[in-house]
């Protein structure tokens, strides 16, 4: 049966009409020139902004975030150490080094480079030669390494991204989305705190050549500490950025921008808006009843619902009328109902963006009703069920 709206829940009435169960407003609180954009609160994963976030794009150099995930995972599991070395092959040198004319750390042909230096070359300079050296050193070939990248993507919850090479250079079949790039960045920050720091490094010198970090956000004094930029003919200019301001961290990815200047400015505006425009508010305490779902054939006509713990939402400091919420569930819920049984979810929208979804569970057990009760429920369902 379709998801249906339960009756208004008193716990949210303290916000008057701000959190009434109604259709989400069709409006954004922020406008951007990016064709695709996605931003979350890093602490909770709450979605703060979304624009065409699931459209496939070419990742370009932003694919290097996945390259680093594979490396960071190997370092964390101690399959690699920062002092291990890989040798620069002629393929890596020609395809990603000085002869390539692409972003490079200018690694010397046949030289042996420490993993830590390769990581800095990739995170700071977006070095294509560094990526290929890593790929060949870890998997024997770039094709094999790209397969590992896609496999790891699935393991960490990226459902659609496909990686064909380690660099993000144009290749048929290579794709991702700004949603998945944001979730990848969140994963890097959460799971590898000791390695994530390389993304905030301002410059790196290799082969006597110093290059500044390609991320324009690092020089803007907005609390940025990562992560990557990219550009492709098919998807335009893109960026994945993270900002930490007064204890609030937001992470965003954008694509489809016209040039590097527009990319820098649009990313700055979105991230700065994200850390300044919301406040975290607890609306339900642990074990507090959130609402009620209708029961079919039960000893009671409804079952109370609650979350596993407290529920906090991110309220816009202004434009609070753009925030709406509803309880959704597949129902009516058939009796018997066991306490703790998953029933539905509390969904909160900011404008037309589904901001967060909190699972709700039965707060009580409801037994099967008497024959007259079940007959009455059946009659009601026959009369009005087709309206849902």
């Amino acid at each position: 049966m379709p998801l249906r709206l339960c009756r208004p829940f008193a716990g949210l009435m303290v916000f008057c009409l701000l959190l009434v169960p109604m259709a989400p407003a069709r409006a954004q609180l922020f406008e951007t020139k990016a064709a695709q954009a996605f931003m979350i609160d890093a602490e909770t994963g709450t979605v703060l902004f979304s624009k065409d976030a699931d459209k496939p794009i070419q990742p370009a150099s932003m694919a290097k975030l996945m390259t680093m995930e594979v490396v960071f995972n190997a370092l964390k599991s101690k399959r690699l150490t920062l002092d291990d070395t890989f040798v620069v092959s002629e393929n890596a040198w020609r395809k990603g080094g000085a002869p390539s004319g692409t972003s490079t750390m200018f690694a010397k042909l046949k030289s042996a480079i420490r993993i830590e230096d390769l990581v800095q070359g990739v995170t700071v300079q977006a070095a294509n030669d560094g990526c290929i050296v890593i790929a060949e050193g870890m998997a024997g070939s770039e094709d094999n390494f790209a397969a590992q990248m896609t496999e790891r993507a699935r393991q960490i919850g990226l459902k659609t991204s496909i990686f064909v090479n380690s660099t993000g250079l144009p290749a048929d079949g290579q794709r991702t989305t700004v949603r998945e790039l944001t979730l990848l960045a969140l994963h890097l920050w959460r799971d590898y705190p000791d390695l994530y720091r390389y993304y905030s490094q301002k410059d790196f010198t290799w082969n006597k050549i110093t290059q500044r970090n390609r991320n324009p956000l690092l020089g803007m004094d907005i609390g940025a500490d990562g992560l990557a930029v990219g550009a492709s003919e098919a998807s335009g200019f893109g960026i994945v950025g993270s900002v930490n301001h007064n204890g609030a961290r937001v992470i965003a990815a954008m694509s489809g921008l016209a040039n590097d200047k527009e990319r820098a400015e649009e990313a700055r505006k979105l991230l700065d808006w994200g850390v300044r425009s919301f406040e975290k508010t607890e609306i339900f305490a642990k074990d507090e009843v959130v609402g009620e779902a209708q029961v079919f054939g039960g000893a009671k006509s409804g079952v109370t619902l609650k979350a596993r713990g407290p529920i906090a939402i991110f309220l816009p400091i202004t434009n609070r009328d753009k925030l709406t919420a509803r309880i959704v569930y597949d129902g009516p819920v058939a009796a018997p109902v066991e306490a703790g049984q998953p029933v539905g979810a509390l969904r909160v929208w900011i404008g037309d963006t589904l901001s967060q979804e909190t699972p709700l569970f039965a707060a009580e057990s409801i037994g099967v009703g008497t024959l007259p009760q079940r007959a009455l429920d059946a009659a009601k369902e026959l009369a009005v069920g087709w309206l849902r």
Side-chain angles (χ1 to χ4, degrees):
M1 302 182 72
L3 289 172
R4 37 192 316 274
L5 178 65
C6 108
R7 63 176 181 258
F9 33 105
L12 291 185
M13 292 306 288
V14 292
F15 296 108
C16 299
L17 297 179
L18 300 183
L19 290 177
V20 296
M22 57 188 290
R26 309 306 297 175
Q28 287 281 17
L29 303 187
F30 185 86
E31 296 294 332
T32 178
K33 296 177 182 177
Q36 300 86 30
F38 189 73
M39 181 170 65
I40 59 173
D41 165 71
E43 179 188 357
T44 63
T46 299
V47 179
L48 303 179
F49 184 82
S50 181
K51 178 182 179 182
D52 212 2
D54 297 311
K55 180 180 179 179
I57 62 169
Q58 288 189 10
S61 279
M62 295 180 290
K64 294 178 173 75
L65 295 176
M66 195 68 231
T67 299
M68 286 296 95
E69 199 288 328
V70 176
V71 177
F72 290 176
N73 181 255
L75 290 167
K76 184 176 181 179
S77 62
K78 305 197 183 303
R79 291 180 285 117
L80 283 179
T81 72
L82 290 172
D83 289 323
D84 287 340
T85 61
F86 290 145
V87 175
V88 182
S89 69
E90 183 169 351
N91 176 63
W93 178 71
R94 289 192 182 280
K95 191 174 177 181
S100 70
T102 64
S103 55
T104 177
M105 63 185 289
F106 298 99
K108 291 182 178 180
L109 177 62
K110 297 183 180 179
S111 63
I113 304 179
R114 293 173 63 246
I115 296 297
E116 184 173 24
D117 293 321
L118 290 167
V119 166
Q120 291 175 93
V122 175
T123 56
V124 178
Q125 300 167 346
N128 290 323
D129 48 357
C131 289
I132 299 171
V133 170
I134 287 170
E136 293 177 343
M138 290 187 66
S141 73
E142 196 174 6
D143 287 345
N144 289 344
F145 185 81
Q148 291 183 17
M149 291 169 67
T150 301
E151 182 180 357
R152 276 295 296 166
R154 297 296 176 270
Q155 290 172 2
I156 64 175
L158 310 186
K159 298 178 180 179
T160 65
S161 295
I162 296 176
F163 299 95
V164 179
N165 57 42
S166 63
T167 61
L169 289 170
D172 290 341
Q174 187 145 263
R175 67 173 186 265
T176 187
T177 67
V178 291
R179 183 191 299 272
E180 294 199 349
L181 285 172
T182 304
L183 296 178
L184 172 57
L186 175 65
H187 168 77
L188 292 171
W189 172 72
R190 280 182 174 171
D191 283 42
Y192 310 112
D194 294 338
L195 298 166
Y196 176 85
R197 62 184 174 85
Y198 289 112
Y199 285 107
S200 64
Q201 187 171 319
K202 296 293 181 65
D203 55 58
F204 179 60
T205 301
W206 189 255
N207 198 13
K208 299 181 180 180
I209 300 172
T210 299
Q211 299 182 73
R212 291 194 60 78
N213 197 307
R214 292 172 179 265
N215 183 355
L217 297 172
L218 297 183
M220 292 183 179
D221 195 29
I222 58 172
D225 57 9
L227 288 132
V229 296
S232 70
E233 185 175 343
S235 298
F237 286 72
I239 188 167
V240 181
S242 180
V243 166
N244 184 24
H245 178 76
N246 291 337
R249 177 179 292 276
V250 296
I251 300 174
M254 310 177 81
S255 183
L257 292 154
N259 50 55
D260 54 0
K261 181 180 179 181
E262 184 174 89
R263 170 176 62 192
E265 182 61 17
E266 290 297 301
R268 181 197 64 77
K269 289 193 297 185
L270 178 63
L271 288 160
D272 199 40
W273 174 77
V275 293
R276 297 177 187 275
S277 300
F278 297 87
E279 58 184 5
K280 187 177 180 181
T281 304
E282 183 175 297
I283 56 172
F284 289 104
K286 183 180 179 181
D287 294 327
E288 185 177 355
V289 171
V290 176
E292 186 177 281
Q294 184 180 349
V295 174
F296 176 81
K300 292 176 61 177
S301 62
V303 57
T304 53
L305 306 175
K306 64 180 181 180
R308 292 292 193 203
I311 299 178
I313 63 173
F314 282 78
L315 288 171
I317 294 174
T318 60
N319 295 308
R320 291 195 174 188
D321 60 317
K322 302 297 185 183
L323 194 146
T324 57
R326 65 164 89 172
I327 294 175
V328 292
Y329 62 98
D330 188 4
V333 182
V337 180
E338 297 293 330
Q341 175 181 323
V343 173
L346 174 66
R347 291 180 181 171
V348 178
W349 282 264
I350 300 174
D352 64 356
T353 296
L354 178 58
S355 178
Q356 69 186 79
E357 182 169 329
T358 304
L360 297 177
F361 304 86
E364 58 185 327
S365 295
I366 306 292
V368 175
T370 62
L371 183 58
Q373 286 174 320
R374 284 179 283 159
L376 180 59
D377 283 351
K380 290 179 181 177
E381 194 65 19
L382 184 63
V384 302
W386 63 275
L387 295 173
R388 288 192 292 271

